[in-house]
Amino acid sequence: MSALKLHYQLHAIWRTEPGWRGHLRSVNHSDMGKRFIVAAFVFFAIGGVLAMLIRAQLATPRSAFVGPEVYNQLFTMHGSIMMFLFAIPMFEGLTMYLLPKMLGSRDLALPRLSALGWWCYLFGGTIIIVAMLAGVAPDAGWFLYPPLSGKTYTPGINSDVWLLGITFVEISAMCAAIEITVTILKLRAAGMSLDKMPIFAWYMLATAGMMVFGFPPLILGSILLEVERAFGWPFYTPELGGSPLLWQHLFWLFGHPEVYIIFLPAAGAVSTILPVMARTRLLAHGAIVAAIMALAFLSFGLWVHHMFTTGIPHMALGFFSAASALVAVPTAVQVFAWIGTLWQGRPDLKLPMLYLIGFFIVFVIGGLTGVMLAMVPFDAQAHDTAFVTAHLHYVLVGGFVFPMLAAAYYWLPHITGRERVLQVGEAAFWLIFIGFNMTFFLMHLTGLLGMPRRIDTYPEEMGWTWLNLLSSVGAFLQAFGFALVVIDVLLQIRLGRMHRRNPWRATTLEWAMPIPSPTYNFASLPVVASRDPLADDPDLGVALARGDGLLANGRSGWRETIAVDMTSGTPEHVAILPGNSWWPILTAAMLGGFFLAMLAGLYVVAPVFVVAVVGLGWCWAWSNGIRIDVGPVPIGNGLSLPTSFEAVRTTGWWGSVFALCASATLFTALIFGYVFLWTIAPNWPPPALIAPSLAGPLLGVAGAAAAVVGSRSGRRTLGLAGQLAIVAAMVWLLAAAPSPSSHAYGATSAMLAAYAIFHAALAAIMYAFLIARARAGFHSQARDGETRIVRLWSDHAAGAGIAVIALLALPGWLA
Ligand SMILES: [Cu+2]
């Protein structure tokens, strides 16, 4: 087959339809990646305008530019937008675009999930921005501490906008986390064992893993606070057995890992770009991988350093202070490896390199002030002052924005297929670099002089006037710099000369394709033998386009790519990926309807949207699968592999594993909340404990046993009945419980039961689905992937049911 004929065949299979239809239905990873990047940049610009308004207000003492109400909304929205609508989606976008290309795959593992994530992000972000324009933006600070964010002090819908809007957006973060993890583990080039994987993939594996375990505590905390605000369940109200400190724990259980969730992808870009700029290989690859894993692990043990001043025990202070200082070690390992890489290479001062130098300087200063704040006595002085604001910006702008600008200039030729024109980017760099340091270096001093963060104005006697004015001037310099970056990028897109392949002479696979890239990435898939495939064979891209690699065909109109064994990279099966679809956008729209109904207080309408989501999910799942056995198919090189229809562990199975990991983390955080309130909160134990008769718990245990047996013996009806029995047992337990609004005990008990009911009901629906699918001929001896997936969900629901029964019934029985 000629290269051109192959191109036409693959293009017909992978293309995005023209016009609006294509926009709404596309699931292609390059489309999704570019959309995330553009939208995240738009939100960045909005957040930046808010920052300019903040600096305008603070430029002079006793300023009346904006009033305190507006000011509260400004800083809350600036922080929330930059964290949730800019930073995370920006690296998600970059990763979605790059990852399959770097790994030698044709798409992400679960393309429709990334499309769902995209629409949830777009709709959720829009809700938040519209609320801001309507003047009801969140105004309790980006970490939304109760009681300030509770009903008493924020009676309007401001906090609800945050809780519901951000949770909606978090769905996209969870989709991305699962998507990225499964893609890295399963959809790599043949021969790409873990040790031959590009360093960027290691960073993203750690990041996505951290998201799976880091986001659920925040999602739980938000659900609890929203339920408290909507229905008066007192999770955070001390008079009724709650505690506002529970929110701080749940928030920072997410919030500290979040810093590394943002930093690690940026560091991944640094580790990828730096060796190319220095014309050498990355030094100490193994040590960096170890440092990444250490950071991912350690960052979950640090959250209490955000709470040093809340009166926690001395032992805990010592432990968390030491742990906070300890993260400097793996960070330093990376910094020294980067310095060593520069040392052994011959660095080229191209524009991405300039931004990397900016990153080094700013990020190292941020790290050093971090070590200062890890010391409890210093933190007690600097807590809630502008010093902390300065530290945070050095870490996040240094550790994220500078590397992302380097990444933008490095990979832009890949996206546009064009060269830069003029030298606008260099001027932009100097404006941003000087402006940034002017704004935030001085803010350290303002903070040490005692200026608290988040105050809307100050009298001139405090002596903060000049520092604040200079900070504001610096902020406007930065804004000009970012405007120039936009102009530079637009010039490149409009006027740049077309590039040939691989302009930087890089060695990773994303450059082994024509640029801009075709929708299917590789006309045939590479077999790799080292970490630098393009160093081994600089003409690899041409060979792949000719069809010399694997899967050089357009079989059955299927979107095919190779799935490998996780560790060795040996080809395992041919993953058949789903094509363009209406289901993601429709599901996201119904989810949006649910969140809007909650926001409007239409609690009767909200369940209608839940039913719609379940119905759409059913149709979505129904649209997959096949009714005949196809057996192994040839992939080239004389090899044959089964398709994912007949594979043992599909990407869908792995996706379910990680989705359940996230859910189990949420469940663990909920149990933590239950135990935390029981032991720490005032007004415990509650007036009365649940003391059910034996029948309810026995019914639940019997149901769990039936579910486990049913899923293993292929008796789907037994599994279905078992799950329904768990639901019934939970209702039985709740009937014996005190009212949820009377005491935090009743409220947490009801939440635990709700978790078990949710999972048991979901598993029951899945069994019903399996029964219908088997009747319709989608299952056979070989094609039982769906049964395996349902077994995972069913086992989890059974386990959660038994855990909840123990947690609710035992205290009453033992008392
Ligand atoms: Cu922290």
Side-chain angles (χ1 to χ4, degrees):
M1 192 173 353
S2 77
L4 201 60
K5 195 168 159 223
L6 181 58
H7 165 76
Y8 282 126
Q9 270 196 8
L10 288 168
H11 180 70
I13 295 172
W14 289 86
R15 79 193 182 106
T16 302
E17 299 134 294
W20 277 106
R21 209 178 138 79
H23 276 289
L24 303 179
R25 282 165 45 86
S26 172
V27 297
N28 178 271
H29 78 99
S30 297
D31 287 351
M32 292 305 135
K34 285 186 268 187
R35 287 181 195 181
F36 265 98
I37 291 171
V38 171
F41 194 83
V42 170
F43 284 119
F44 175 74
I46 297 173
V49 169
L50 300 182
M52 292 305 106
L53 295 174
I54 294 173
R55 281 320 314 177
Q57 165 70 13
L58 291 179
T60 53
R62 295 189 198 285
S63 164
F65 175 61
V66 295
E69 286 80 18
V70 173
Y71 187 80
N72 289 347
Q73 296 190 16
L74 287 180
F75 70 72
T76 303
M77 286 298 286
H78 168 70
S80 305
I81 289 177
M82 291 308 197
M83 284 292 190
F84 297 106
L85 302 182
F86 160 63
I88 293 173
M90 181 57 97
F91 83 70
E92 282 169 9
L94 184 72
T95 310
M96 282 182 173
Y97 179 84
L98 280 180
L99 205 52
K101 299 177 166 67
M102 274 189 167
L103 295 175
S105 162
R106 283 182 178 145
D107 206 330
L108 290 163
L110 306 155
R112 289 183 179 174
L113 194 67
S114 33
L116 175 70
W118 155 250
W119 295 112
C120 286
Y121 166 52
L122 184 69
F123 296 161
T126 309
I127 290 175
I128 295 172
I129 299 299
V130 168
M132 182 175 78
L133 297 177
V136 290
D139 55 0
W142 81 272
F143 35 77
L144 217 79
Y145 280 178
L148 179 59
S149 57
K151 205 75 182 169
T152 319
Y153 300 103
T154 310
I157 66 164
N158 309 53
S159 295
D160 304 308
V161 169
W162 194 98
L163 293 166
L164 293 164
I166 297 292
T167 304
F168 192 15
V169 172
E170 290 330 291
I171 294 176
S172 83
M174 293 316 299
C175 291
I178 293 167
E179 175 84 277
I180 291 168
T181 315
V182 178
T183 303
I184 296 174
L185 292 180
K186 295 303 291 179
L187 296 195
R188 303 197 300 263
M192 190 185 275
S193 53
L194 282 181
D195 61 314
K196 298 196 184 88
M197 200 161 77
I199 192 75
F200 187 77
W202 276 109
Y203 278 99
M204 289 318 305
L205 184 61
T207 307
M210 289 177 73
M211 288 166 79
V212 167
F213 297 104
F215 274 91
L218 172 72
I219 294 175
L220 174 72
S222 302
I223 293 173
L224 297 187
L225 185 50
E226 182 55 30
V227 169
E228 170 166 324
R229 290 180 53 88
F231 308 117
W233 296 16
F235 300 104
Y236 304 115
T237 311
E239 302 83 67
L240 295 174
S243 167
L245 272 189
L246 174 60
W247 170 268
Q248 294 201 20
H249 280 293
L250 291 175
F251 187 88
W252 292 115
L253 258 170
F254 147 81
H256 189 84
E258 157 86 346
V259 177
Y260 293 88
I261 288 171
I262 291 175
F263 169 63
L264 282 178
V270 174
S271 287
T272 307
I273 301 169
L274 192 70
V276 179
M277 291 295 126
R279 287 176 284 182
T280 181
R281 302 280 170 86
L282 183 65
L283 190 74
H285 178 93
I288 289 187
V289 171
I292 297 167
M293 294 303 143
L295 269 181
F297 184 74
L298 275 176
S299 65
F300 281 93
L302 306 182
W303 79 97
V304 174
H305 69 206
H306 297 268
M307 302 166 64
F308 278 160
T309 57
T310 56
I312 55 169
H314 267 100
M315 255 308 272
L317 285 181
F319 175 82
F320 285 102
S321 174
S324 303
L326 203 61
V327 279
V329 176
T331 313
V333 167
Q334 291 180 79
V335 171
F336 285 118
W338 291 328
I339 293 173
T341 306
L342 278 178
W343 200 283
Q344 75 179 5
R346 289 168 294 126
D348 238 347
L349 206 60
K350 299 214 173 87
L351 189 52
M353 189 62 218
L354 208 51
Y355 278 104
L356 290 184
I357 293 172
F359 151 75
F360 279 127
I361 296 169
V362 174
F363 183 70
V364 168
I365 295 175
L368 293 177
T369 53
V371 175
M372 291 166 78
L373 286 169
M375 305 302 130
V376 176
F378 181 84
D379 183 69
Q381 289 298 313
H383 188 74
D384 268 345
T385 68
F387 188 93
V388 173
T389 318
H391 159 72
L392 174 138
H393 283 84
Y394 264 84
V395 174
L396 290 177
V397 177
F400 187 75
V401 177
F402 278 95
M404 278 297 132
L405 285 165
Y409 279 113
Y410 179 75
W411 278 298
L412 208 55
H414 197 293
I415 298 178
T416 63
R418 288 170 191 274
E419 280 174 10
R420 281 182 64 222
V421 285
L422 306 174
Q423 300 291 303
V424 185
E426 278 75 3
F429 168 78
W430 288 109
L431 278 172
I432 294 171
F433 184 74
I434 294 170
F436 174 83
N437 283 293
M438 201 168 151
T439 308
F440 292 105
F441 192 81
L442 298 179
M443 217 182 261
H444 290 113
L445 307 179
T446 331
L448 291 177
L449 287 174
M451 182 168 167
R453 68 197 291 192
R454 298 179 171 175
I455 52 168
D456 68 305
T457 191
Y458 52 92
E460 56 267 50
E461 305 86 85
M462 301 307 294
W464 306 330
T465 309
W466 275 103
L467 289 168
N468 270 304
L469 181 61
L470 286 173
S471 279
S472 297
V473 172
F476 282 91
L477 288 182
Q478 275 182 83
F480 281 121
F482 282 110
L484 278 189
V485 170
V486 176
I487 292 173
D488 192 31
V489 171
L490 292 178
L491 283 176
Q492 174 170 343
I493 293 172
R494 301 293 302 173
L495 304 176
R497 277 192 307 136
M498 291 305 280
H499 250 304
R500 49 195 171 76
R501 286 164 195 264
N502 200 1
W504 308 105
R505 299 182 185 286
T507 58
T508 37
L509 281 175
E510 80 270 29
W511 299 104
M513 61 181 69
I515 50 176
S517 62
T519 43
Y520 50 82
N521 290 342
F522 304 95
S524 63
L525 298 177
V527 179
V528 303
S530 83
R531 212 175 287 147
D532 303 284
L534 281 185
D536 301 342
D537 175 11
D539 295 323
L540 180 64
V542 180
L544 294 177
R546 231 177 14 230
D548 291 356
L550 304 175
L551 290 182
N553 55 50
R555 179 171 28 222
S556 311
W558 288 337
R559 296 191 173 192
E560 295 181 339
T561 195
I562 285 185
V564 297
D565 173 72
M566 279 199 296
T567 43
S568 67
T570 317
E572 191 187 82
H573 65 263
V574 177
I576 315 282
L577 301 174
N580 300 333
S581 162
W582 288 110
W583 304 121
I585 185 172
L586 291 177
T587 309
M590 289 304 116
L591 283 167
F594 170 78
F595 283 103
L596 281 176
M598 289 297 293
L599 193 58
L602 302 170
Y603 303 126
V604 194
V605 182
V608 177
F609 289 104
V610 176
V611 173
V613 169
V614 171
L616 285 168
W618 181 291
C619 301
W620 179 336
W622 196 273
S623 69
N624 297 321
I626 189 170
R627 293 179 207 230
I628 46 162
D629 288 339
V630 278
V633 293
I635 62 166
N637 279 5
L639 293 169
S640 281
L641 287 179
T643 62
S644 49
F645 300 124
E646 290 161 30
V648 180
R649 302 239 156 110
T650 58
T651 51
W653 189 87
W654 283 106
S656 289
V657 168
F658 292 111
L660 285 170
C661 285
S663 181
T665 310
L666 185 136
F667 187 45
T668 311
L670 181 57
I671 296 173
F672 165 80
Y674 179 72
V675 176
F676 175 82
L677 291 180
W678 198 297
T679 50
I680 302 282
N683 298 317
W684 282 70
L689 293 177
I690 304 175
S693 61
L694 207 55
L698 274 183
L699 174 66
V701 173
V708 170
V709 173
S711 76
R712 275 168 182 65
S713 62
R715 275 174 285 179
R716 304 183 184 100
T717 333
L718 182 65
L720 175 62
Q723 297 296 349
L724 293 178
I726 296 176
V727 174
M730 289 301 144
V731 176
W732 197 316
L733 276 174
L734 278 182
S739 141
S741 49
S742 65
H743 191 276
Y745 172 67
T748 42
S749 300
M751 282 317 281
L752 284 166
Y755 179 87
I757 291 175
F758 175 82
H759 275 279
L762 192 60
I765 295 170
M766 288 179 169
Y767 275 117
F769 181 79
L770 275 191
I771 293 169
R773 289 282 273 188
R775 280 207 194 122
F778 283 98
H779 292 180
S780 75
Q781 197 78 31
R783 283 171 287 124
D784 69 341
E786 286 174 358
T787 314
R788 288 166 197 278
I789 291 175
V790 173
R791 186 179 302 160
L792 288 172
W793 290 86
S794 171
D795 286 356
H796 178 79
I802 289 179
V804 170
I805 288 169
L807 284 162
L808 297 193
L810 285 182
W813 285 343
L814 297 177

PDB file of all heavy atoms in Angstrom, residues 16 76 90 119 204 512 783:
ATOM      1  N   THR A  16     -11.948  14.248  12.372  1.00  0.00           N
ATOM      2  CA  THR A  16     -13.015  14.956  13.043  1.00  0.00           C
ATOM      3  C   THR A  16     -13.927  15.510  11.968  1.00  0.00           C
ATOM      4  O   THR A  16     -13.452  16.123  11.012  1.00  0.00           O
ATOM      5  CB  THR A  16     -12.421  16.116  13.866  1.00  0.00           C
ATOM      6  OG1 THR A  16     -11.496  15.560  14.784  1.00  0.00           O
ATOM      7  CG2 THR A  16     -13.489  16.877  14.612  1.00  0.00           C
ATOM      8  N   THR A  76     -10.812  35.966  45.903  1.00  0.00           N
ATOM      9  CA  THR A  76     -11.291  34.583  45.911  1.00  0.00           C
ATOM     10  C   THR A  76     -11.320  34.016  44.504  1.00  0.00           C
ATOM     11  O   THR A  76     -10.858  32.906  44.241  1.00  0.00           O
ATOM     12  CB  THR A  76     -12.703  34.518  46.510  1.00  0.00           C
ATOM     13  OG1 THR A  76     -12.662  35.077  47.819  1.00  0.00           O
ATOM     14  CG2 THR A  76     -13.210  33.095  46.597  1.00  0.00           C
ATOM     15  N   MET A  90      -4.621  23.441  32.179  1.00  0.00           N
ATOM     16  CA  MET A  90      -3.536  23.744  31.235  1.00  0.00           C
ATOM     17  C   MET A  90      -2.614  22.539  31.072  1.00  0.00           C
ATOM     18  O   MET A  90      -2.308  22.121  29.955  1.00  0.00           O
ATOM     19  CB  MET A  90      -2.752  24.971  31.727  1.00  0.00           C
ATOM     20  CG  MET A  90      -1.628  25.384  30.817  1.00  0.00           C
ATOM     21  SD  MET A  90      -2.178  25.729  29.130  1.00  0.00           S
ATOM     22  CE  MET A  90      -2.366  27.486  29.151  1.00  0.00           C
ATOM     23  N   TRP A 119     -16.162  18.808  28.336  1.00  0.00           N
ATOM     24  CA  TRP A 119     -17.440  19.533  28.420  1.00  0.00           C
ATOM     25  C   TRP A 119     -17.755  19.900  29.865  1.00  0.00           C
ATOM     26  O   TRP A 119     -18.293  20.983  30.129  1.00  0.00           O
ATOM     27  CB  TRP A 119     -18.564  18.720  27.780  1.00  0.00           C
ATOM     28  CG  TRP A 119     -18.373  18.539  26.299  1.00  0.00           C
ATOM     29  CD1 TRP A 119     -18.099  17.381  25.641  1.00  0.00           C
ATOM     30  CD2 TRP A 119     -18.387  19.569  25.294  1.00  0.00           C
ATOM     31  NE1 TRP A 119     -17.953  17.614  24.296  1.00  0.00           N
ATOM     32  CE2 TRP A 119     -18.125  18.939  24.047  1.00  0.00           C
ATOM     33  CE3 TRP A 119     -18.594  20.946  25.319  1.00  0.00           C
ATOM     34  CZ2 TRP A 119     -18.068  19.647  22.848  1.00  0.00           C
ATOM     35  CZ3 TRP A 119     -18.544  21.651  24.115  1.00  0.00           C
ATOM     36  CH2 TRP A 119     -18.286  21.005  22.910  1.00  0.00           C
ATOM     37  N   MET A 204       4.077  12.390  34.508  1.00  0.00           N
ATOM     38  CA  MET A 204       2.625  12.421  34.390  1.00  0.00           C
ATOM     39  C   MET A 204       1.979  11.237  35.095  1.00  0.00           C
ATOM     40  O   MET A 204       0.862  11.344  35.602  1.00  0.00           O
ATOM     41  CB  MET A 204       2.203  12.454  32.914  1.00  0.00           C
ATOM     42  CG  MET A 204       2.490  13.765  32.240  1.00  0.00           C
ATOM     43  SD  MET A 204       2.104  15.220  33.234  1.00  0.00           S
ATOM     44  CE  MET A 204       0.397  14.922  33.630  1.00  0.00           C
ATOM     45  N   ALA A 512       8.360  12.236  15.630  1.00  0.00           N
ATOM     46  CA  ALA A 512       8.467  11.277  14.519  1.00  0.00           C
ATOM     47  C   ALA A 512       7.211  11.289  13.672  1.00  0.00           C
ATOM     48  O   ALA A 512       6.711  10.244  13.262  1.00  0.00           O
ATOM     49  CB  ALA A 512       8.731   9.876  15.073  1.00  0.00           C
ATOM     50  N   ARG A 783     -15.753 -13.049  24.706  1.00  0.00           N
ATOM     51  CA  ARG A 783     -16.085 -11.635  24.938  1.00  0.00           C
ATOM     52  C   ARG A 783     -16.770 -11.449  26.288  1.00  0.00           C
ATOM     53  O   ARG A 783     -17.982 -11.284  26.356  1.00  0.00           O
ATOM     54  CB  ARG A 783     -16.998 -11.121  23.817  1.00  0.00           C
ATOM     55  CG  ARG A 783     -16.290 -10.808  22.513  1.00  0.00           C
ATOM     56  CD  ARG A 783     -17.278 -10.516  21.404  1.00  0.00           C
ATOM     57  NE  ARG A 783     -17.946 -11.721  20.948  1.00  0.00           N
ATOM     58  CZ  ARG A 783     -19.266 -11.876  20.926  1.00  0.00           C
ATOM     59  NH1 ARG A 783     -20.049 -10.912  21.317  1.00  0.00           N
ATOM     60  NH2 ARG A 783     -19.776 -13.006  20.511  1.00  0.00           N
TER      61      ARG A 783
END
